[in-house]
Coordinates of all heavy atoms in Angstrom, one line a residue:
Chain A
A66 N -75.3 58.0 -13.7 CA -76.6 57.7 -13.2 C -77.6 57.8 -14.3 O -78.5 57.0 -14.3 CB -77.0 58.8 -12.0
L67 N -77.4 58.9 -15.1 CA -78.4 58.9 -16.3 C -78.3 57.7 -17.1 O -79.3 57.2 -17.5 CB -78.0 60.2 -17.1 CG -78.7 60.4 -18.3 CD1 -80.2 60.6 -18.1 CD2 -78.2 61.7 -19.2
F68 N -77.1 57.2 -17.4 CA -77.0 56.0 -18.3 C -77.7 54.9 -17.5 O -78.4 54.2 -18.2 CB -75.5 55.8 -18.4 CG -75.2 54.6 -19.3 CD1 -75.1 54.8 -20.7 CD2 -74.9 53.3 -18.8 CE1 -74.8 53.7 -21.5 CE2 -74.6 52.3 -19.7 CZ -74.6 52.4 -21.0
A69 N -77.4 54.6 -16.3 CA -78.0 53.5 -15.6 C -79.5 53.7 -15.6 O -80.3 52.7 -15.8 CB -77.4 53.5 -14.2
T70 N -80.1 54.8 -15.4 CA -81.5 55.1 -15.3 C -82.2 54.7 -16.8 O -83.2 54.0 -16.7 CB -81.8 56.5 -15.1 OG1 -81.3 56.8 -13.7 CG2 -83.3 56.8 -15.0
V71 N -81.4 55.1 -17.8 CA -82.0 54.9 -19.1 C -82.0 53.5 -19.5 O -82.9 52.9 -20.1 CB -81.3 55.7 -20.2 CG1 -81.6 55.3 -21.5 CG2 -81.5 57.2 -20.0
V72 N -80.9 52.7 -19.0 CA -81.0 51.3 -19.3 C -82.1 50.6 -18.5 O -82.7 49.7 -19.0 CB -79.6 50.7 -18.9 CG1 -79.6 49.2 -19.1 CG2 -78.5 51.3 -19.8
T73 N -82.2 51.0 -17.2 CA -83.2 50.4 -16.3 C -84.6 50.6 -16.8 O -85.4 49.7 -16.6 CB -83.0 50.9 -14.9 OG1 -81.7 50.7 -14.5 CG2 -83.9 50.2 -13.9
R74 N -84.8 51.8 -17.4 CA -86.2 52.2 -17.6 C -87.1 51.2 -18.4 O -88.1 50.9 -18.0 CB -86.1 53.6 -18.4 CG -87.5 54.2 -18.6 CD -87.4 55.6 -19.3 NE -86.6 55.6 -20.5 CZ -86.8 56.3 -21.5 NH1 -87.8 57.3 -21.4 NH2 -86.1 56.4 -22.7
R75 N -86.5 50.6 -19.5 CA -87.2 49.7 -20.3 C -87.0 48.3 -19.9 O -87.7 47.3 -20.4 CB -86.9 49.9 -21.7 CG -87.3 51.2 -22.3 CD -87.3 51.2 -23.8 NE -87.1 52.6 -24.3 CZ -88.0 53.5 -24.4 NH1 -89.3 53.2 -24.3 NH2 -87.8 54.8 -24.8
A76 N -86.0 48.0 -19.0 CA -85.6 46.7 -18.6 C -86.8 46.0 -18.0 O -87.1 44.7 -18.2 CB -84.4 46.6 -17.7
Q77 N -87.5 46.7 -17.1 CA -88.7 46.1 -16.4 C -89.7 45.6 -17.4 O -90.3 44.5 -17.3 CB -89.3 47.0 -15.4 CG -88.5 47.0 -14.1 CD -89.5 47.2 -12.9 OE1 -90.4 48.0 -13.1 NE2 -89.2 46.6 -11.8
E78 N -90.1 46.5 -18.3 CA -91.1 46.0 -19.4 C -90.7 44.8 -20.1 O -91.4 43.9 -20.4 CB -91.4 47.3 -20.3 CG -92.4 46.8 -21.3 CD -92.7 48.0 -22.2 OE1 -92.3 49.2 -22.0 OE2 -93.6 47.8 -23.2
L79 N -89.4 44.9 -20.6 CA -88.8 43.7 -21.3 C -88.9 42.5 -20.5 O -89.2 41.3 -20.9 CB -87.4 44.1 -21.8 CG -86.8 43.0 -22.6 CD1 -87.5 42.8 -23.9 CD2 -85.3 43.5 -22.9
A80 N -88.5 42.5 -19.2 CA -88.5 41.4 -18.5 C -90.0 40.8 -18.3 O -90.2 39.7 -18.3 CB -87.9 41.7 -17.0
R81 N -90.9 41.7 -18.1 CA -92.3 41.2 -18.0 C -92.7 40.6 -19.2 O -93.4 39.5 -19.2 CB -93.2 42.5 -17.6 CG -94.6 42.1 -17.0 CD -95.4 43.3 -16.8 NE -95.3 44.3 -17.8 CZ -95.9 44.2 -19.0 NH1 -96.6 43.1 -19.3 NH2 -95.8 45.3 -19.8
L82 N -92.4 41.1 -20.4 CA -92.8 40.5 -21.6 C -92.3 39.2 -21.7 O -93.0 38.2 -22.1 CB -92.3 41.4 -22.8 CG -93.0 42.8 -23.0 CD1 -92.3 43.5 -24.1 CD2 -94.5 42.5 -23.5
R83 N -91.0 39.0 -21.4 CA -90.4 37.7 -21.5 C -91.0 36.6 -20.5 O -91.3 35.6 -20.9 CB -88.9 37.8 -21.3 CG -88.2 38.3 -22.5 CD -86.7 38.6 -22.1 NE -85.9 39.0 -23.4 CZ -84.8 39.6 -23.3 NH1 -84.3 40.0 -22.1 NH2 -84.1 39.7 -24.4
Q84 N -91.2 37.1 -19.3 CA -91.8 36.1 -18.3 C -93.2 35.9 -18.5 O -93.6 34.8 -18.3 CB -91.5 36.7 -16.9 CG -89.9 37.0 -16.7 CD -89.5 36.8 -15.4 OE1 -90.0 36.0 -14.6 NE2 -88.5 37.6 -14.9
D85 N -94.0 36.8 -19.1 CA -95.3 36.5 -19.4 C -95.5 35.6 -20.5 O -96.3 34.6 -20.5 CB -96.1 37.9 -19.8 CG -96.3 38.9 -18.6 OD1 -96.2 38.3 -17.5 OD2 -96.8 39.9 -18.8
A86 N -94.6 35.8 -21.5 CA -94.6 34.8 -22.7 C -94.2 33.4 -22.1 O -94.8 32.4 -22.5 CB -93.5 35.2 -23.8
L87 N -93.3 33.3 -21.3 CA -92.8 32.0 -20.7 C -94.1 31.3 -19.9 O -94.3 30.2 -20.0 CB -91.6 32.1 -19.8 CG -91.0 30.8 -19.3 CD1 -90.4 30.1 -20.5 CD2 -89.8 31.2 -18.4
A88 N -94.7 32.2 -19.1 CA -95.8 31.7 -18.3 C -97.0 31.2 -19.3 O -97.5 30.1 -19.1 CB -96.4 32.7 -17.4
Q89 N -97.1 31.9 -20.4 CA -98.2 31.5 -21.3 C -97.9 30.2 -22.0 O -98.6 29.3 -22.2 CB -98.5 32.6 -22.3 CG -99.8 32.3 -23.1 CD -100.0 33.4 -24.2 OE1 -99.4 34.5 -24.0 NE2 -100.9 33.1 -25.1
A90 N -96.6 30.1 -22.3 CA -96.1 28.9 -23.1 C -96.3 27.8 -22.1 O -96.6 26.7 -22.4 CB -94.6 29.1 -23.5
K91 N -96.0 27.9 -20.8 CA -96.1 26.8 -19.8 C -97.6 26.4 -19.8 O -97.9 25.2 -19.7 CB -95.6 27.2 -18.5 CG -94.1 26.9 -18.2 CD -93.7 27.5 -16.9 CE -92.4 27.1 -16.5 NZ -92.0 27.7 -15.2
A92 N -98.5 27.4 -19.7 CA -99.9 27.1 -19.6 C -100.4 26.3 -20.8 O -101.4 25.6 -20.7 CB -100.7 28.4 -19.4
E93 N -99.8 26.5 -22.0 CA -100.4 25.9 -23.2 C -99.9 24.5 -23.4 O -100.3 23.9 -24.4 CB -100.0 26.8 -24.4 CG -100.7 28.1 -24.4 CD -100.2 29.0 -25.5 OE1 -99.3 28.7 -26.2 OE2 -101.0 30.1 -25.7
G94 N -98.9 24.0 -22.7 CA -98.5 22.7 -22.8 C -97.0 22.5 -22.4 O -96.4 23.5 -21.9
P95 N -96.5 21.3 -22.6 CA -95.1 21.1 -22.1 C -94.1 22.0 -22.9 O -94.3 22.1 -24.1 CB -94.9 19.6 -22.4 CG -96.0 19.2 -23.4 CD -97.0 20.2 -23.2
L96 N -93.2 22.5 -22.1 CA -92.1 23.4 -22.8 C -91.2 22.6 -23.7 O -90.9 21.5 -23.4 CB -91.4 24.1 -21.7 CG -92.0 25.2 -21.0 CD1 -91.1 25.9 -19.9 CD2 -92.5 26.3 -21.9
T97 N -90.8 23.2 -24.8 CA -89.8 22.6 -25.7 C -88.7 23.7 -25.6 O -88.9 24.9 -25.2 CB -90.3 22.5 -27.1 OG1 -90.6 23.7 -27.6 CG2 -91.5 21.5 -27.1
L98 N -87.5 23.2 -26.1 CA -86.4 24.2 -26.1 C -86.8 25.4 -27.0 O -86.5 26.5 -26.7 CB -85.2 23.4 -26.7 CG -83.9 24.3 -26.8 CD1 -83.6 25.0 -25.5 CD2 -82.8 23.5 -27.4
R99 N -87.4 25.0 -28.2 CA -87.7 26.1 -29.1 C -88.6 27.1 -28.5 O -88.5 28.3 -28.7 CB -88.4 25.4 -30.4 CG -88.9 26.4 -31.3 CD -88.0 27.4 -32.0 NE -87.0 26.6 -33.0 CZ -87.1 26.9 -34.2 NH1 -87.9 27.8 -34.8 NH2 -86.3 26.1 -35.1
R100 N -89.6 26.6 -27.7 CA -90.6 27.6 -27.1 C -89.9 28.5 -26.1 O -90.1 29.6 -25.9 CB -91.7 26.7 -26.5 CG -92.6 26.2 -27.6 CD -93.8 25.5 -26.9 NE -94.8 26.4 -26.3 CZ -95.8 27.0 -26.9 NH1 -96.0 26.8 -28.3 NH2 -96.6 27.8 -26.2
I101 N -88.9 27.8 -25.3 CA -88.3 28.6 -24.3 C -87.5 29.8 -25.0 O -87.5 30.9 -24.6 CB -87.3 27.7 -23.4 CG1 -88.2 26.7 -22.7 CG2 -86.5 28.6 -22.5 CD1 -87.3 25.6 -22.1
L102 N -86.6 29.3 -26.0 CA -85.9 30.4 -26.7 C -86.8 31.4 -27.3 O -86.4 32.6 -27.3 CB -84.9 29.7 -27.7 CG -84.0 28.7 -27.2 CD1 -83.1 28.1 -28.2 CD2 -83.2 29.1 -26.0
T103 N -87.8 31.0 -27.8 CA -88.8 32.0 -28.5 C -89.3 33.0 -27.4 O -89.3 34.2 -27.8 CB -89.9 31.2 -29.2 OG1 -89.4 30.3 -30.0 CG2 -90.9 32.2 -29.8
C104 N -89.6 32.6 -26.3 CA -90.1 33.5 -25.4 C -89.0 34.5 -24.9 O -89.4 35.6 -24.5 CB -90.6 32.7 -24.1 SG -92.0 31.6 -24.3
F105 N -87.8 34.1 -25.0 CA -86.7 35.2 -24.7 C -86.4 36.1 -25.9 O -86.3 37.3 -25.7 CB -85.5 34.4 -24.3 CG -84.5 35.3 -23.8 CD1 -84.4 35.6 -22.4 CD2 -83.4 35.9 -24.6 CE1 -83.4 36.5 -21.8 CE2 -82.4 36.7 -24.0 CZ -82.5 37.0 -22.7
I106 N -86.4 35.5 -27.1 CA -86.0 36.3 -28.2 C -87.1 37.0 -28.8 O -86.9 38.3 -29.3 CB -85.3 35.3 -29.2 CG1 -84.0 34.8 -28.7 CG2 -85.2 36.0 -30.6 CD1 -83.3 33.9 -29.7
A107 N -88.3 36.5 -29.0 CA -89.3 37.1 -29.7 C -89.8 38.5 -29.2 O -89.8 39.5 -30.1 CB -90.5 36.2 -29.9
P108 N -89.9 38.6 -27.9 CA -90.3 40.0 -27.5 C -89.3 41.1 -27.7 O -89.5 42.1 -28.1 CB -90.5 39.8 -25.9 CG -90.7 38.3 -25.7 CD -89.9 37.7 -26.8
F109 N -88.0 40.7 -27.6 CA -86.9 41.6 -27.9 C -86.9 42.0 -29.3 O -86.8 43.2 -29.6 CB -85.6 41.0 -27.4 CG -84.4 41.9 -27.6 CD1 -84.1 42.8 -26.6 CD2 -83.6 41.9 -28.7 CE1 -83.0 43.6 -26.8 CE2 -82.5 42.7 -28.9 CZ -82.2 43.6 -27.9
I110 N -86.9 41.0 -30.2 CA -86.8 41.3 -31.6 C -88.0 42.1 -32.0 O -87.9 43.1 -32.8 CB -86.7 40.2 -32.5 CG1 -85.3 39.4 -32.1 CG2 -86.7 40.4 -33.9 CD1 -84.1 40.1 -32.5
D111 N -89.2 41.8 -31.6 CA -90.4 42.5 -31.9 C -90.3 44.0 -31.5 O -90.6 45.0 -32.4 CB -91.6 41.9 -31.3 CG -92.9 42.6 -31.6 OD1 -93.1 42.7 -32.9 OD2 -93.6 43.0 -30.7
K112 N -89.9 44.3 -30.3 CA -89.8 45.7 -29.8 C -88.7 46.4 -30.6 O -88.8 47.5 -31.0 CB -89.5 45.7 -28.3 CG -90.7 45.3 -27.5 CD -91.7 46.5 -27.5 CE -92.8 46.3 -26.5 NZ -93.9 47.3 -26.7
T113 N -87.5 45.8 -30.7 CA -86.4 46.5 -31.2 C -86.5 46.7 -32.8 O -86.0 47.8 -33.3 CB -85.0 45.9 -30.9 OG1 -85.1 44.5 -31.4 CG2 -84.8 45.9 -29.4

Side-chain angles (χ1 to χ4, degrees):
Chain A
L67 175 62
F68 185 85
T70 299
V71 169
V72 176
T73 306
R74 189 172 54 145
R75 296 189 206 278
Q77 274 213 330
E78 178 177 355
L79 184 59
R81 195 181 45 73
L82 287 171
R83 283 171 166 160
Q84 302 211 34
D85 285 355
L87 188 62
Q89 188 179 347
K91 273 181 168 172
E93 287 174 357
L96 286 178
T97 62
L98 178 59
R99 171 66 72 111
R100 286 180 72 85
I101 296 170
L102 300 183
T103 302
C104 292
F105 190 84
I106 286 177
F109 181 84
I110 298 290
D111 180 53
K112 282 291 185 187
T113 56

